Amino acid sequence: MKKLLLASTSTLYGQSYLEYLLPQLNDFFSHATTITFIPYARPGGISHDAYTELVATAFSKIDKKVVGLHDFEDPLEGIAHAEALFTGGGNTFLLVQQLHNLELMQPLRDKINHGTPYLGTSAGSNIAGPSMKTTNDMPIVHPPTFMTLGVVNFNLNPHYLDPDPNSTHKGETRETRIREFHQLNTTPVIGLREGNYILVNGNQSTLKGTGTARIFEAGKSPYESSQIPNF
Amino acid sequence: MKKLLLASTSTLYGQSYLEYLLPQLNDFFSHATTITFIPYARPGGISHDAYTELVATAFSKIDKKVVGLHDFEDPLEGIAHAEALFTGGGNTFLLVQQLHNLELMQPLRDKINHGTPYLGTSAGSNIAGPSMKTTNDMPIVHPPTFMTLGVVNFNLNPHYLDPDPNSTHKGETRETRIREFHQLNTTPVIGLREGNYILVNGNQSTLKGTGTARIFEAGKSPYESSQIPNF
């Protein structure tokens, strides 16, 4: 049975990396001793090694080992033998370009569909949906396609931000951007605020964390929900 | 001689569309009676017609006529006969996809290089640089390439925002995003705040409006400047 934990952010303000998720991750990864980490999104441009070290430090607190997928000579082998998977945040364009160039999208999809637990934060959550078209990131590289894993039937907008009623800035709000997406696409979008995450068990998705999520469906007004609708 | 006006935003808070730019535009477009408008970026998903009407209303205040490029049976003809050009803001991915699909990028580049005055706001300014890789927009469609006009030798980041020192939000700041861009690209980037615009005359670029711009060069710390450096 498919098992995913899709978080808006890896880190809450004033906390250490993954800190707020560790109790939940202890349970989520209870059957795994080693987590295979996909570091390709390189937040702030850090190296694969440095990123993997950061992740290993966090997971050592719940006695899990971490191996970086970049450390396998053949990353396909790394995925095939993974007990558990984690894709960290950073730049979604870079992450998706790497996964496509290395032809890992389909093996990763199959692995998740066969029940290997998958954790995503930010960009790593973005790629669980049918496309990366609702990322907030800058297009610093050109992936051959924006199609992603599609292991859930909705797109995510991580780090979701409500419009600031006092703002004088004229750049688009997150809501305007998602409305533009729905002029040309029909996939539902979950605006997932920091502190929230989605637990997926088979075909059942549950919203966890604090407060509601903002749900966007094509042709409807956006609305707040404490549940993930059955789209 | 190349002549461009590249603005961060079409509209300042509390003002009408293009209001703050009209005195400058009266001068910039002094030799043109009709402006050919490229509406493909469709801000908020509005139609080409509605967008062109908004632009025509603004330009009527300085006695300029506006024709939408979408109204030409052959948009190549529309560009070939343009006295002056304006590309409005909206979604940069949609704009760039349309320009590439209609094979307009090269004709537009040639037209600008031969001296037809070009106004860009937001997404319309973004495409003046070598690539659209420093846009803030959502990738709602997949353009065949991110390469753009390259009529100036720097990229723009319109609606530039300084990091908010009081923010508790963990999404990337604009500065972090541009740093990620420079891990993989060498084009200099101008962070252009709302209210600022760049006047290009031949190979001379001048910063206009209020205050300084934030300049990002690969391998250097970002800095403030009241001039556009000769990259």
Side-chain angles (χ1 to χ4, degrees):
Chain A
M1 198 171 69
K2 222 164 26 182
K3 203 175 162 212
L4 295 94
L5 195 162
L6 305 173
S8 172
T9 184
S10 62
T11 314
L12 288 181
Y13 181 73
Q15 294 192 7
S16 65
Y17 187 73
L18 291 179
E19 183 177 338
Y20 79 106
L21 284 172
L22 284 179
Q24 179 70 48
L25 291 177
N26 199 22
D27 181 52
F28 183 74
F29 286 134
S30 60
H31 297 297
T33 56
T34 302
I35 291 149
T36 301
F37 176 59
I38 301 177
Y40 301 143
R42 298 182 58 199
I46 64 168
S47 72
H48 295 152
D49 280 344
Y51 199 10
T52 304
E53 204 173 298
L54 175 74
V55 171
T57 302
F59 274 106
S60 71
K61 296 173 194 167
I62 56 169
D63 296 318
K64 305 290 179 194
K65 283 187 197 143
V66 171
V67 290
L69 191 57
H70 67 293
D71 273 333
F72 289 83
E73 201 167 323
D74 179 359
L76 274 169
E77 286 291 304
I79 288 180
H81 296 121
E83 290 175 72
L85 293 156
F86 170 33
T87 305
N91 187 287
T92 313
F93 291 85
L94 186 56
L95 170 61
V96 169
Q97 188 204 45
Q98 290 296 99
L99 290 174
H100 281 300
N101 287 357
L102 296 168
E103 298 183 351
L104 297 178
M105 205 60 97
Q106 187 61 42
L108 197 50
R109 182 183 295 125
D110 291 343
K111 188 79 178 165
I112 295 167
N113 280 331
H114 284 93
T116 303
Y118 176 92
L119 166 66
T121 59
S122 194
S125 296
N126 245 316
I127 63 168
S131 84
M132 57 161 288
K133 291 183 178 178
T134 51
T135 179
N136 308 307
D137 295 335
M138 252 186 198
I140 61 173
V141 293
H142 185 260
T145 158
F146 289 158
M147 302 318 285
T148 48
L149 295 168
V151 289
V152 293
N153 65 353
F154 48 83
N155 266 8
L156 279 173
N157 180 252
H159 303 284
Y160 183 75
L161 273 179
D162 294 290
D164 173 359
N166 299 315
S167 173
T168 60
H169 187 251
K170 299 294 285 184
E172 290 90 347
T173 64
R174 209 59 76 78
E175 194 159 313
T176 300
R177 294 173 196 279
I178 298 171
R179 191 164 65 235
E180 288 176 357
F181 170 78
H182 274 146
Q183 289 282 334
L184 300 162
N185 302 271
T186 56
T187 308
V189 181
I190 314 278
L192 199 62
R193 297 186 182 89
E194 294 183 353
N196 278 354
Y197 58 95
I198 297 171
L199 263 184
V200 180
N201 271 297
N203 292 319
Q204 186 67 42
S205 295
T206 313
L207 182 68
K208 298 278 185 179
T210 47
T212 55
R214 188 117 184 121
I215 315 288
F216 300 83
E217 297 185 63
K220 282 193 190 179
S221 294
Y223 58 95
E224 291 294 313
S225 177
S226 57
Q227 300 180 319
I228 306 301
N230 254 325
F231 297 115
Chain B
M1 199 172 70
K2 224 165 23 182
K3 204 175 162 212
L4 295 93
L5 195 162
L6 305 174
S8 172
T9 185
S10 62
T11 314
L12 288 182
Y13 180 72
Q15 293 193 7
S16 65
Y17 187 73
L18 291 180
E19 184 177 336
Y20 80 106
L21 284 172
L22 284 179
Q24 180 69 50
L25 292 177
N26 199 22
D27 181 51
F28 184 74
F29 285 135
S30 61
H31 297 297
T33 56
T34 303
I35 290 149
T36 301
F37 176 59
I38 301 177
Y40 300 144
R42 298 182 59 199
I46 64 167
S47 71
H48 294 153
D49 279 345
Y51 198 10
T52 304
E53 205 172 297
L54 175 74
V55 171
T57 301
F59 273 106
S60 71
K61 295 173 192 166
I62 56 168
D63 297 318
K64 304 290 179 194
K65 282 186 198 145
V66 170
V67 289
L69 191 58
H70 68 292
D71 273 333
F72 288 84
E73 202 168 321
D74 179 0
L76 274 170
E77 285 291 303
I79 287 179
H81 295 120
E83 289 176 72
L85 292 157
F86 171 32
T87 306
N91 187 286
T92 313
F93 291 86
L94 186 55
L95 170 62
V96 168
Q97 188 204 45
Q98 289 295 100
L99 290 175
H100 281 299
N101 286 358
L102 296 169
E103 298 184 351
L104 297 178
M105 206 61 97
Q106 187 60 43
L108 198 51
R109 182 182 296 126
D110 292 342
K111 188 78 179 166
I112 295 167
N113 281 331
H114 283 93
T116 303
Y118 175 92
L119 166 66
T121 60
S122 193
S125 297
N126 245 315
I127 63 169
S131 83
M132 58 162 286
K133 290 183 178 179
T134 51
T135 179
N136 309 307
D137 295 335
M138 254 186 195
I140 62 172
V141 294
H142 186 260
T145 158
F146 290 156
M147 303 318 284
T148 48
L149 295 168
V151 290
V152 293
N153 66 353
F154 47 82
N155 266 8
L156 280 172
N157 180 253
H159 302 284
Y160 183 75
L161 273 179
D162 294 289
D164 173 0
N166 298 315
S167 173
T168 61
H169 187 251
K170 298 295 284 184
E172 291 89 347
T173 63
R174 209 62 74 77
E175 195 159 312
T176 300
R177 294 173 195 280
I178 298 171
R179 191 164 63 235
E180 288 176 356
F181 169 78
H182 274 147
Q183 289 283 335
L184 299 162
N185 302 271
T186 55
T187 308
V189 181
I190 314 279
L192 199 62
R193 297 185 181 89
E194 294 184 352
N196 279 355
Y197 56 95
I198 297 171
L199 263 184
V200 180
N201 272 297
N203 292 321
Q204 185 66 44
S205 296
T206 313
L207 182 68
K208 298 279 185 177
T210 48
T212 55
R214 190 118 183 120
I215 315 288
F216 300 82
E217 297 185 64
K220 283 193 190 179
S221 293
Y223 58 96
E224 292 293 314
S225 177
S226 58
Q227 299 181 320
I228 306 300
N230 255 327
F231 297 115

